[in-house]
Each structure stands twice: as structure tokens, then as C-alpha cells.
Amino acid sequence: MTVKHETVFEVWVQGNLGLHAGKPILHSVHHSEPAARLQMKQFLEEGRFSAIKQIRRPIYTAVD
């Protein structure tokens, strides 16, 4: 088994209803930083909290 890695960018927003009020919630996952920044920018322009978290996650592939 070989292990490769990919980098993804998570967009987190602040929840505003019920149990999630005031807590961070994962909104979306993007494969490019510019796409994540565009999503974050939309939330910030609306006056909502938004943040990007960069994740490097393993991808396991079977070797034949």
C-alpha cells in the first residue's frame, strides 16, 4: 500500500442557530486556495465570521 497526500482547504463559519450558535461549523471543502478564499470573502462581505483551515490528508492506494 502506498500513501500519497493531498492538500484541501476547509471553510469554517460561525453557527447562528440553536445548539450551534457561536460555534465553528464546517461549511465547505475546496481543493484550491483561491476557491476557498472566494467563499470566505462572500461570508465576510455579509458580516459573518469565516476562516480557512489548510489540511494535508493521506490518500491510501493499493499497489498491484
Side-chain angles (χ1 to χ4, degrees), residues 6-13 25-37 39-40 43 51-57:
E6 73 172 342
T7 301
V8 295
F9 300 89
E10 299 176 343
V11 177
W12 290 80
V13 297
I25 297 173
L26 177 62
H27 180 269
S28 57
V29 178
H30 302 270
H31 289 283
S32 69
E33 186 177 8
R37 286 191 181 274
Q39 185 69 55
M40 183 179 79
F43 285 114
I52 296 176
K53 182 177 181 183
Q54 182 177 348
I55 303 290
R56 185 171 183 246
R57 63 183 183 191

